[in-house]
Amino acid sequence: MILSFPETIHMKKKLNVSIFNEIQNINNDSIFAINEYTQKSDLTSKARTIFIETGEISEVVRPEIAKSWRRCQKLGMNTFYAPAKKINEIAFSNIALKHRFLMEAASQIIDSIYNSLKNQKLLIYLTDRDENILYMKGSNSLNINLEDIGLAKGFHWSEKNIGTNAISLALMYERDFQTIGSEHYMEIHHDFNCATALIKMHNEIVGTLTMTFSKNYFSTHFLSLVKAGAVLIENHLLKMHSSEIMDLTFNKSTEGMAFLDLDLNVTKVNKSFLEILHTDEQTAFALDFTKLFYEVDFQKIIENKRKHTNIKETFIRYKKKLRRITVDISVIKQDFQFCLVIMCREIDEIINLSQNYNSSNSYFTFDNIITQNPKMLNLIETAKKVSSVSCSILIEGESGTGKELFSQSIHSMSDRKKNPFIVVNCAAIPVELVESELFGYERGTFTGALSSGKPGKFELANNGTIFLDEIGELPLDVQAKLLRALDNHKITRMGGKQEKSLNIRVLAATNRSLYKEVQNKNFREDLYYRLNVLYFKLPSLKERPEDIPLLAYHFLEKLNSENNDKKYFNTEFLNALMSHSWNGNIRELQNTVTRAYYICSSDEISKNMLTPHILNSDSDSKECSTPEPTPVQADPTHTDSLATIQDSERTLIINAIKKTNGKAAQAALLINMSKATIYRKIKKYDIKPVEFKKELICELE
């Protein structure tokens, strides 16, 4: 910000008065004060020598300095010299941009102070609260290369970097601080004294002002001089913010903003507002805002001066088009007059900004699919080729074969990868809520609806991918609306009249044969063919026997990494895995490995850690569904005793909680239980805190 001429004169006058008094005090410092400083400096120097040699600290050393010396010693810092850390140019540019107001406010004050003392050997510099030097004014007569000791713009001046110093101690203790030469941990800094004052804004520390000067040039008033400078910077910073904040917010805001007088004449609009209307500034100034915001009662707002009005969802009508927006309207006083400030944003943009928080964003790629099966590898190669196209894909496969992982991988390789990946489990949504979840609803559509309405999953997925898992569970009436959405790429919210155009890719998955569902009249034939443009059938794990050990080792490696352990499978365990039919596919295999891992109390995971259901592959192959767990050996060192189902489950829970350091919720995830279930089981099996560690009492209670 550039101050006007009268403001500059006023600031200089104020600065000169403040600084003049402190300079006079410096020049009039008593001989007694200087002698006392010299004596203290000598004693501190001797105390530092003893500390380095013996580790003992004399009482003459201030407690803050003593603690700093010990921290430096613990870090193994060089007692004479260590090269200072300089921030790279790109990082410093970003830091400088972040603190541009602070630098602008401080530079004028620093220049003025330095010019008042320019015949002295000193440096005056500004740091941010992270101890980075932002600006400096200094003398070249200090007889040292300033960059060698880190006293230059762009250097990081922290205790961990250069040892004991006034800046770090001021920030650490949150008060102004002064250090004399021999108090610095590194000997190379002993020729200098430093005084640091904190710079605050709204009671928050934003930086420091520091003066470094030759140890032969001392005054008890240097710290007072720096304090006076810091106060001036604070005042100037507040003035800059109060005059700049409105323009900065107005011009840079992504929200549309307009200023109106109380007669509703437009006085100012920003670029974002013009972009919402797709118009120019001249046209905007002639707009009738009562017709533009036809649902807003401006007169009522004006009558309630100083009150804030927030409308979460309304419309603006411009050139025969309706745009859905959210709007904030305030009445403020500016230049002794009241005016209206309107801030608005299109709902589409708000949805885009919030998609990361409402979506199951894609984290997986084809590299995450563990396989060496030729059929699976061929499917992956085909999927890679079609990832970039936008047509619908139908994925079929048994439960646990990785349909969602496959879908996420397709999305991650597509042109939409930076946009949302929205997952909808069609089987998990109550029938009466399916339509509102998919397509959203307008305010007041039904009892219990949000007053602002709610966007559906399709709106949230705009420009990205929507994954409809268990698509076969959709009710027939919703299937008809889904077909229409896929045909014309438009949706209408429940209770709404406005159609919304969307750009979405649809991936659908089912563990059924969707074609058979069509034949049984449970699924619309036209929707089936609309979804089945590209088709993938994922093989079951029993069709991928070569992947069983590969996947098992992958899960084991992940568990070892999470628990900092080195467990391993023995041959019998792997043979048992290979013999099982895996009706639950990869999900069942992962759960089996996880369970065996946490039950096992040694490094070797043997087949004794498996349930008889897994071990008895013959009977298992005759079953269509996974039977209930049967007794298993909880401890491989006692092979002659079988635990009951409850004993096995109790042991499983205890070991899982131990592995997660007492965090029952995390333990539930490890053994595929819900949080509610594991707490119920803890109570059921009377698992006491003493069975873990004392610090777990609160967690389990």
Side-chain angles (χ1 to χ4, degrees), residues 26-179:
I26 289 171
N27 292 334
N28 295 330
D29 226 333
S30 67
I31 297 296
F32 174 78
I34 295 173
N35 288 339
E36 185 180 21
Y37 153 73
T38 303
Q39 183 180 11
K40 180 180 179 181
S41 180
D42 291 341
L43 290 172
T44 304
S45 180
K46 293 176 182 177
R48 177 183 172 277
T49 301
I50 294 171
F51 168 71
I52 291 171
E53 292 176 352
T54 67
E56 297 181 1
I57 297 182
S58 168
E59 293 181 355
V60 302
V61 181
R62 288 186 287 167
E64 300 90 342
I65 301 296
K67 290 177 182 178
S68 177
W69 284 359
R70 292 197 186 282
R71 287 193 296 271
C72 294
Q73 187 182 59
K74 189 175 181 180
L75 289 171
M77 296 184 71
N78 192 302
T79 57
F80 178 74
Y81 168 75
K85 177 184 175 183
K86 189 171 185 179
I87 308 163
N88 68 61
E89 291 184 8
I90 295 176
F92 182 76
S93 296
N94 292 331
I95 292 170
L97 181 63
K98 177 182 176 182
H99 297 295
R100 61 190 182 280
F101 285 115
L102 175 62
M103 292 174 68
E104 188 173 344
S107 60
Q108 299 179 46
I109 309 299
I110 290 173
D111 290 351
S112 193
I113 294 175
Y114 179 74
N115 290 335
S116 301
L117 296 166
K118 60 185 177 181
N119 293 325
Q120 312 299 337
K121 297 180 179 180
L122 57 86
L123 302 168
I124 307 175
Y125 46 99
L126 170 76
T127 76
D128 60 14
R129 66 168 298 130
D130 296 320
E131 303 163 292
N132 302 309
I133 298 179
L134 304 176
Y135 182 82
M136 174 173 285
K137 197 79 172 180
S139 170
N140 292 325
S141 57
L142 287 173
N143 300 322
I144 192 170
N145 186 329
L146 297 178
E147 290 211 357
D148 285 347
I149 60 172
L151 277 173
K153 186 171 71 173
F155 278 86
H156 184 60
W157 196 253
S158 68
E159 184 180 86
K160 290 181 180 179
N161 187 28
I162 50 82
T164 307
N165 67 89
I167 296 171
S168 292
L169 292 172
L171 289 168
M172 181 179 296
Y173 292 103
E174 296 189 357
R175 60 181 172 84
D176 303 330
F177 209 93
Q178 186 165 359
T179 53

Side-chain angles (χ1 to χ4, degrees), residues 10 37 84 108 142 155 178 225 232 299 314 326 341 344 390 400 479 511 527 539 545-546 561 603 619 686:
H10 175 73
Y37 153 73
Q108 299 179 46
L142 287 173
F155 278 86
Q178 186 165 359
L225 174 60
L232 290 178
Q299 290 305 319
T314 185
T326 180
V341 179
C344 56
S390 294
Q479 290 180 29
N511 58 8
L527 178 57
E546 62 270 59
S561 176
D603 287 343
S619 63
D686 195 26

Side-chain angles (χ1 to χ4, degrees), residues 355-628:
Q355 278 167 338
N356 288 337
Y357 303 98
N358 291 293
S359 65
S360 298
N361 280 331
S362 174
Y363 296 110
F364 297 108
T365 68
F366 287 112
D367 291 336
N368 297 115
I369 299 177
I370 309 298
T371 185
Q372 56 187 7
N373 175 261
K375 185 176 180 180
M376 195 67 186
L377 291 171
N378 185 55
L379 286 175
I380 291 172
E381 287 305 311
T382 304
K384 288 180 178 179
K385 293 175 183 177
V386 302
S387 291
S388 58
V389 300
S390 294
C391 55
S392 301
I393 295 178
L394 177 62
I395 304 170
E396 290 186 355
E398 295 178 9
S399 179
T401 51
K403 296 184 290 296
E404 184 175 339
L405 171 59
F406 201 78
S407 299
Q408 286 198 20
S409 301
I410 292 172
H411 173 78
S412 295
M413 199 167 184
S414 72
D415 296 335
R416 301 169 183 266
K417 61 186 176 184
K418 293 183 179 179
N419 295 318
F421 178 82
I422 302 293
V423 177
V424 182
N425 187 339
C426 300
I429 307 173
V431 175
E432 63 274 12
L433 296 179
V434 172
E435 184 179 351
S436 63
E437 281 294 309
L438 291 179
F439 307 117
Y441 58 82
E442 298 291 356
R443 56 186 175 182
T445 302
F446 51 84
T447 303
L450 295 176
S451 59
S452 59
K454 183 182 178 182
K457 301 298 186 184
F458 272 80
E459 282 186 70
L460 295 175
N462 196 21
N463 297 316
T465 302
I466 189 166
F467 174 57
L468 301 174
D469 197 12
E470 304 298 347
I471 186 72
E473 303 295 332
L474 279 183
L476 285 169
D477 58 333
V478 178
Q479 290 180 29
K481 294 190 176 184
L482 176 58
L483 177 64
R484 175 174 171 77
L486 296 179
D487 280 340
N488 63 11
H489 303 287
K490 292 181 180 180
I491 61 103
T492 303
R493 288 186 182 185
M494 286 182 64
K497 298 178 181 179
Q498 301 292 326
E499 279 195 325
K500 181 177 180 61
S501 297
L502 298 175
N503 173 22
I504 292 178
R505 184 182 197 179
V506 177
L507 305 181
T510 178
N511 58 8
R512 305 181 184 183
S513 168
L514 210 56
Y515 183 69
K516 288 183 180 179
E517 293 299 307
V518 171
Q519 292 177 320
N520 295 331
K521 306 298 182 183
N522 294 325
F523 200 83
R524 291 180 63 107
E525 186 176 10
D526 46 7
L527 178 57
Y528 170 74
Y529 289 115
R530 187 66 184 81
L531 292 170
N532 192 16
V533 179
L534 294 169
Y535 175 79
F536 291 93
K537 176 67 180 291
L538 301 188
S540 63
L541 189 55
K542 71 184 73 174
E543 299 175 74
R544 304 163 49 185
E546 62 270 59
D547 287 344
I548 293 172
L550 194 66
L551 288 162
Y553 276 116
H554 170 73
F555 299 139
L556 176 65
E557 183 180 349
K558 186 177 179 181
L559 289 166
N560 275 331
S561 176
E562 290 173 354
N563 296 281
N564 194 25
D565 214 335
K566 294 182 179 180
K567 292 188 178 183
Y568 61 92
F569 302 136
N570 68 16
T571 304
E572 291 181 339
F573 182 89
L574 287 172
N575 288 338
L577 295 185
M578 293 294 293
S579 300
H580 185 53
S581 59
W582 300 112
N583 292 324
N585 293 291
I586 299 170
R587 185 181 293 117
E588 183 189 1
L589 175 60
Q590 182 175 12
N591 293 348
T592 298
V593 171
T594 302
R595 183 181 186 279
Y597 184 92
Y598 285 111
I599 284 181
C600 183
S601 58
S602 64
D603 287 343
E604 181 182 5
I605 302 176
S606 68
K607 71 175 185 178
N608 294 323
M609 301 298 100
L610 296 170
T611 63
H613 159 60
I614 302 293
L615 292 171
N616 189 357
S617 59
D618 290 336
S619 63
D620 176 77
S621 63
K622 298 175 184 177
E623 298 291 338
C624 296
S625 59
T626 304
E628 290 296 317

